[in-house]
């Protein structure tokens, strides 16, 4: 008989193991057996909980996004100013938990898989919109709505680009990623303000 209360624990172990396995491999070229072994459960149990590898992958993306959202909400609660909100969002995206080698490599694999998976594409679209909206909410009081949207788009592109560079391990990032994005934000805000009468 299954142990009562074990399902959520095993599901989390499996989604964590999927992220680790995909991150370590740098691609979706992993099996349910690989993932189950990492999670310390049988492949049959993995199939019981998720049905298929694709369902497990979608659940893993959801788990990553949920964790990122929890961390973002907690950081935003501590922010005291609109500019502080922007800094909090940037810091969370590059926190050691979010910007670890395996997590970043898994994100890249998920983006590649999104071309063939409508559920993953939908989740990543939601993530992109949420990141943009969070950045705009902090930037709007500083520069107005139109400029906030433009600056947020650039900052989000930088965040995604720095993830790609880390995942591909192409010479690494020359400077602290938080500092790079913060510098972009500050330069853009100063530029907008300098053009105002």
């Amino acid at each position: 008989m299954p142990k009562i209360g074990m399902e959520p624990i095993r599901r989390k172990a499996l989604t964590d193991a999927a992220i680790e396995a995909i991150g370590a491999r740098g691609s979706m070229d992993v099996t349910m057996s690989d993932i189950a072994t990492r999670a310390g459960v049988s492949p049959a149990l993995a199939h019981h909980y998720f049905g298929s590898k694709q369902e497990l992958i979608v659940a893993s993306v959801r788990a990553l996004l949920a964790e990122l959202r929890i961390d973002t909400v907690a950081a935003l609660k501590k922010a005291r100013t609109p500019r502080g909100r922007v800094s909090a969002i940037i810091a969370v995206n590059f926190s050691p938990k979010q910007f670890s080698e395996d997590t970043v490599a898994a994100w890249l694999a998920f983006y590649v898989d999104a071309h063939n998976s409508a559920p993953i594409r939908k989740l990543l679209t939601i993530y992109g919109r949420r990141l943009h909206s969070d950045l705009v909410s902090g930037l709007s009081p500083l520069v107005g709505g139109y400029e906030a949207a433009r600056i947020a788009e650039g900052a989000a592109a930088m965040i995604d680009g720095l993830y790609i560079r880390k995942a591909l391990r192409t010479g690494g990032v020359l400077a602290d990623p938080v500092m790079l994005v913060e510098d972009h934000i500050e330069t853009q805000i100063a530029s907008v303000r300098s053009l105002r009468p």
Side-chain angles (χ1 to χ4, degrees):
M1 278 186 71
K3 294 180 183 175
I4 295 178
M6 286 303 292
E7 183 173 349
I9 294 166
R10 288 184 175 145
R11 282 180 169 274
K12 178 165 179 14
L14 283 161
T15 56
D16 289 349
I19 293 162
E20 289 171 16
I22 292 164
R25 182 75 50 100
S27 75
M28 296 296 205
D29 189 25
V30 295
T31 65
M32 282 290 261
S33 182
D34 297 332
I35 295 166
T37 299
R38 276 184 187 262
V41 301
S42 71
L45 194 58
H47 281 286
H48 170 73
Y49 286 135
F50 292 101
S52 70
K53 180 178 127 178
Q54 187 60 25
E55 288 176 42
L56 174 53
I57 299 303
V58 170
S60 299
V61 174
R62 276 197 184 102
L64 271 178
L65 291 173
E67 186 175 86
L68 178 61
R69 191 67 194 154
I70 288 166
D71 292 350
T72 301
V73 168
L76 289 174
K77 284 181 181 176
K78 295 176 187 173
R80 305 236 185 276
T81 64
R83 183 64 181 85
R85 288 178 60 84
V86 175
S87 291
I89 294 160
I90 295 166
V92 165
N93 276 276
F94 293 111
S95 69
K97 182 167 56 170
Q98 298 296 334
F99 205 54
S100 72
E101 295 270 338
D102 284 349
T103 301
V104 169
W107 273 117
L108 188 60
F110 293 148
Y111 270 99
V112 170
D113 198 49
H115 290 284
N116 302 312
S117 170
I120 291 177
R121 186 168 49 251
K122 181 179 178 183
L123 289 170
L124 294 177
T125 299
I126 291 168
Y127 155 74
R129 287 181 183 154
R130 189 177 287 158
L131 174 60
H132 187 264
S133 173
D134 287 343
L135 289 167
V136 167
S137 75
L139 290 165
S140 288
L142 304 173
V143 294
Y146 174 79
E147 292 296 342
R150 184 184 64 76
I151 296 169
E153 190 67 29
M158 285 188 76
I159 291 168
D160 290 345
L162 290 164
Y163 265 72
I164 290 169
R165 287 181 69 183
K166 181 163 181 152
L168 297 177
R169 298 174 181 96
T170 54
V173 178
L174 299 176
D176 174 33
V178 171
M179 190 172 56
L180 288 171
V181 181
E182 288 283 3
D183 183 56
H184 165 75
I185 297 280
E186 280 303 310
T187 302
Q188 293 300 310
I189 289 172
S191 175
V192 169
R193 287 178 172 168
S194 73
L195 296 173
R196 290 183 174 167

